[in-house]
Amino acid sequence: MHMKYLLLSLIFIIFFSCTENDTGIKYTQFTSDDLSYLYFNSDTLVFTGSNIQYVDTISFMLESTDIVKVSVDTRIGPVDDPFSFINEIGIQGESTLRPINEVGFRYANVYVSRHNHYDVGSNKMFYVGVNKNNSYSTEISMNDPITFDTALVLGVHYENVLKFYPDSLLHTNIKSIYFAKKYGYIKIETLDGKTMERVLPR
């Protein structure tokens, strides 16, 4: 009896986590929480299989002195998943930050994916590179416990902050990475004292 209820619950979750069109194809949808990890201008999205792009420009302060503009390119589309059920399409999104002239930091990306044949979670990956030889990446899988913290950056109090401290043995030259839901990367600090901190519009 317990297995029967478990199976019915799984079918219910899959049915309501997908949107179906006239062709019978079901598209997995990002939750508002999924979207909060991407640089996107809405808390909701109805995905119908077409690629979506959102481009923005945000500001960071370098070394507590210079403010630089950073372009952000977010792309959302179907995920190529060989394990997916027939006529069920997963969704993936990636936001790419690339400072002009690199300014001591090469990139800071975040990737989110959700598959309709999994449970109710999604995978998230974070990539940061400071130069050609130093980079760091980490993944939070759907079943991993997530511990959020708070952070004060340039006088702004952020909640729902993920903090990463790369092991010095990895030789990434990255001391710390702060990532806040709805704001993205808010602070990156290297071992040699360089900082990149998010500047919010006033």
Side-chain angles (χ1 to χ4, degrees):
M1 184 66 77
H2 177 70
M3 183 61 73
K4 178 181 177 182
Y5 284 118
L6 185 62
L7 182 60
L8 288 174
S9 298
L10 182 60
I11 292 172
F12 180 83
I13 289 170
I14 291 174
F15 179 81
F16 283 99
S17 67
C18 301
T19 295
E20 185 172 353
N21 61 15
D22 294 337
T23 65
I25 297 177
K26 297 178 181 178
Y27 296 103
T28 303
Q29 301 297 310
F30 273 149
T31 66
S32 294
D33 185 71
D34 292 333
L35 286 172
S36 71
Y37 286 85
L38 298 172
Y39 293 84
F40 199 62
N41 60 343
S42 177
D43 292 332
T44 60
L45 170 70
V46 177
F47 181 61
T48 59
S50 299
N51 290 322
I52 298 168
Q53 183 177 17
Y54 173 72
V55 179
D56 197 4
T57 300
I58 58 179
S59 298
F60 285 89
M61 181 172 286
L62 300 177
E63 320 304 329
S64 302
T65 56
D66 299 323
I67 295 180
V68 296
K69 301 290 186 180
V70 177
S71 63
V72 182
D73 185 359
T74 296
R75 297 173 185 264
I76 297 172
V79 62
D80 183 17
D81 185 357
F83 299 103
S84 179
F85 293 123
I86 297 175
N87 292 337
E88 295 186 358
I89 307 298
I91 186 173
Q92 62 184 345
E94 183 169 18
S95 292
T96 302
L97 286 77
R98 294 196 180 279
I100 298 174
N101 299 326
E102 297 186 1
V103 294
F105 295 87
R106 293 182 62 212
Y107 59 83
N109 299 357
V110 56
Y111 171 83
V112 181
S113 66
R114 180 177 284 273
H115 304 263
N116 45 33
H117 61 281
Y118 290 156
D119 204 340
V120 294
S122 61
N123 287 351
K124 303 163 186 73
M125 298 188 72
F126 304 85
Y127 306 87
V128 173
V130 294
N131 57 47
K132 292 182 179 179
N133 298 317
N134 299 116
S135 62
Y136 173 75
S137 65
T138 187
E139 177 179 5
I140 298 177
S141 298
M142 57 186 179
N143 294 321
D144 291 341
I146 300 177
T147 301
F148 292 105
D149 202 347
T150 60
L152 185 66
V153 177
L154 298 179
V156 178
H157 178 80
Y158 293 90
E159 297 184 349
N160 297 315
V161 177
L162 293 169
K163 296 181 177 180
F164 305 108
Y165 301 98
D167 193 312
S168 60
L169 296 178
L170 297 176
H171 304 292
T172 64
N173 194 34
I174 300 174
K175 180 179 179 181
S176 63
I177 301 167
Y178 291 2
F179 183 97
K181 289 167 60 175
K182 294 184 180 278
Y183 297 97
Y185 291 96
I186 57 173
K187 183 176 180 179
I188 301 171
E189 184 178 10
T190 64
L191 292 172
D192 54 6
K194 294 180 180 178
T195 58
M196 185 171 89
E197 299 171 289
R198 178 76 187 269
V199 177
L200 295 183
R202 296 186 180 276

